[in-house]
């Protein structure tokens, strides 16, 4: 596939996707999301990749769905075209960890795209918002659902109903972002973190991702049961034998399944 809206690179064992529609503040159109999905397919198949970083530009991670492209949609266009479900969900099904490295605006679908990733690293310039109400619509790619789970109902309502933006410091305090990083170090630090993740046993990493995500999908009892069963199954991994033997022998582990 030819990429016209994103740049796809590898940095060691990390797959890097850069959203690249600079003239439109990385507004997310259907082609761009298809391209992200295709890049994720490639990284998932590639055994040399253990983690993924998605980033944008200094000005904007993404300023939302492409308003011009959507403006004249009818209900039938959106419903028949399976808008959002058709290609956005691909981010959710990726089994390798994804870090969103956000600088500048992450608005509407841009904020939702970041929340579909496993964690968000924010530059000190980052601004998060769900301003769809100003357009006479509502968030449509998870904003009304993931935001309350991430930052609670009070702040989610505030953002979705008033369209106010949240800066990086508030987003970190509220639990939306994992780290705040000086803008000029953002991508580098995200790649460093992804490189650490990619150095571990991939099956263990995937089990952790799956288990943490379970916390958002189930009751505590169900989630704990899922974690326990998954933990038990980890003793079937060759890398568990290696990881624990290496600790006992006071050496570095050499994981086979990275
Ligand atoms: N869509 C299309 N074009 C955009 C978008 C967008 N979301 N955001 C910015 N652009 C374009 C502008 O039209 C402008 O283009 P041009 O130079 O040709 O006029 C260019 O990017 C630069 O933008 P501005 O001149 O406005 O730059 P400013 O620095 O003054 O402002 C802002 C930056 C604050 C980001 C401003 O552009 C803005 O408010 N953008 C719209 C933000 C928004 O409302 N986002 C929500 C969109 S709706 C949505 O995301 C619904 C998600 C549902 C799921 C997705 C399903 C596909």
């Amino acid at each position: 596939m030819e990429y016209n809206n994103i740049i796809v690179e590898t940095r060691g064992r990390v797959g890097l996707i850069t959203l690249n529609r600079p003239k439109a503040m990385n507004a997310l159109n259907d082609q761009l999301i298809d391209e992200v999905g295709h890049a994720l397919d490639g990284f998932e198949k590639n055994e040399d990749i253990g983690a993924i970083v998605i980033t944008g530009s200094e000005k904007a991670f993404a300023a939302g769905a492409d308003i011009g492209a959507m403006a004249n949609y009818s209900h039938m266009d959106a419903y028949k075209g399976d808008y959002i479900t058709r290609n956005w969900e691909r981010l959710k099904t990726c089994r390798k960890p994804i870090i969103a490295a956000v600088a500048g605006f992450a608005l509407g679908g841009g904020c939702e795209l970041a929340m579909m990733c496993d964690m968000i690293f924010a530059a000190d310039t980052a601004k998060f918002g769900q301003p769809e109400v100003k357009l006479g619509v509502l968030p449509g790619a998870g904003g009304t659902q993931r935001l309350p789970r991430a930052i609670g109902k009070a702040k989610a309502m505030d953002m979705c109903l008033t369209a106010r933006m949240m800066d990086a410091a508030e987003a970190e305090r509220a639990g939306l972002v994992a780290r705040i990083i000086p803008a000029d170090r953002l991508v580098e630090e995200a790649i460093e973190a992804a490189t650490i993740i990619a150095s571990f046993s991939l099956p263990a990493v995937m089990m952790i991702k799956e288990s943490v995500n379970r916390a958002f999908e189930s009751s505590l009892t169900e989630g704990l049961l899922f974690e326990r069963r998954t933990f038990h199954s980890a003793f079937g991994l060759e890398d568990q034998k290696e990881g624990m033997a290496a600790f006992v022998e006071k050496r570095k582990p050499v994981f086979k399944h990275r």
Side-chain angles (χ1 to χ4, degrees):
M1 182 181 208
E2 191 189 335
Y3 296 124
N4 296 312
N5 301 284
I6 62 173
I7 299 166
V8 180
E9 299 164 275
T10 57
R11 299 284 164 82
R13 291 182 44 76
V14 176
L16 176 63
I17 299 174
T18 306
L19 310 180
N20 187 36
R21 293 189 72 208
K23 285 186 187 145
M25 294 254 174
N26 288 335
L28 305 164
N29 61 20
D30 222 26
Q31 297 75 28
L32 184 149
I33 299 293
D34 276 344
E35 290 178 19
V36 170
H38 188 271
L40 291 178
D41 288 345
F43 288 147
E44 286 233 274
K45 277 189 219 132
N46 186 343
E47 290 193 352
D48 295 329
I49 296 297
I52 296 155
V53 172
I54 301 183
T55 193
S57 69
E58 275 173 34
K59 269 193 193 156
F61 177 73
D66 191 320
I67 300 168
M70 284 188 297
N72 293 318
Y73 263 36
S74 67
H75 171 258
M76 192 49 79
D77 292 329
Y79 182 67
K80 234 177 121 187
D82 208 11
Y83 208 36
I84 300 162
T85 315
R86 185 184 72 74
N87 54 9
W88 284 67
E89 298 277 310
R90 177 65 188 91
L91 276 117
K92 211 183 91 178
T93 60
C94 183
R95 297 177 77 203
K96 292 180 180 174
I98 308 177
I99 299 175
V102 174
F105 296 108
L107 302 179
C111 185
E112 292 170 308
L113 183 72
M115 287 193 289
M116 284 181 186
C117 299
D118 298 304
M119 53 180 154
I120 302 175
F121 286 7
D124 43 15
T125 59
K127 283 194 186 330
F128 299 88
Q130 297 289 163
E132 289 88 345
V133 69
K134 293 204 289 195
L135 302 169
V137 290
L138 69 155
T144 67
Q145 302 303 303
R146 288 198 177 92
L147 209 48
R149 283 168 169 82
I151 65 174
K153 177 180 169 183
K155 279 188 183 288
M157 280 290 191
D158 188 6
M159 285 174 74
C160 294
L161 289 176
T162 70
R164 85 168 170 91
M165 289 186 217
M166 192 180 255
D167 65 18
E170 187 183 3
E172 194 200 26
R173 277 200 309 277
L176 183 61
V177 314
R179 302 184 193 179
I180 301 179
I181 300 163
D184 59 353
R185 289 248 327 128
L186 174 71
V187 176
E188 210 177 311
E189 193 163 324
I191 290 172
E192 278 168 20
T195 301
I196 291 172
I197 296 168
S199 73
F200 297 130
S201 164
L202 182 60
V205 162
M206 291 197 308
M207 285 176 180
I208 291 167
K209 168 169 171 157
E210 210 177 3
S211 289
V212 175
N213 280 332
R214 265 295 155 124
F216 292 94
E217 312 272 349
S218 56
S219 68
L220 181 60
T221 304
E222 285 301 316
L224 288 171
L225 182 62
F226 182 86
E227 181 196 71
R228 196 159 314 132
R229 291 287 175 261
T230 311
F231 178 70
H232 292 161
S233 74
F235 288 87
L237 298 175
E238 282 178 276
D239 285 341
Q240 172 270 326
K241 298 287 172 294
E242 170 59 13
M244 292 193 181
F247 179 83
V248 171
E249 292 160 18
K250 298 191 187 304
R251 62 173 174 82
K252 274 194 153 193
V254 183
F255 293 121
K256 205 168 169 184
H257 300 284
R258 293 197 311 159

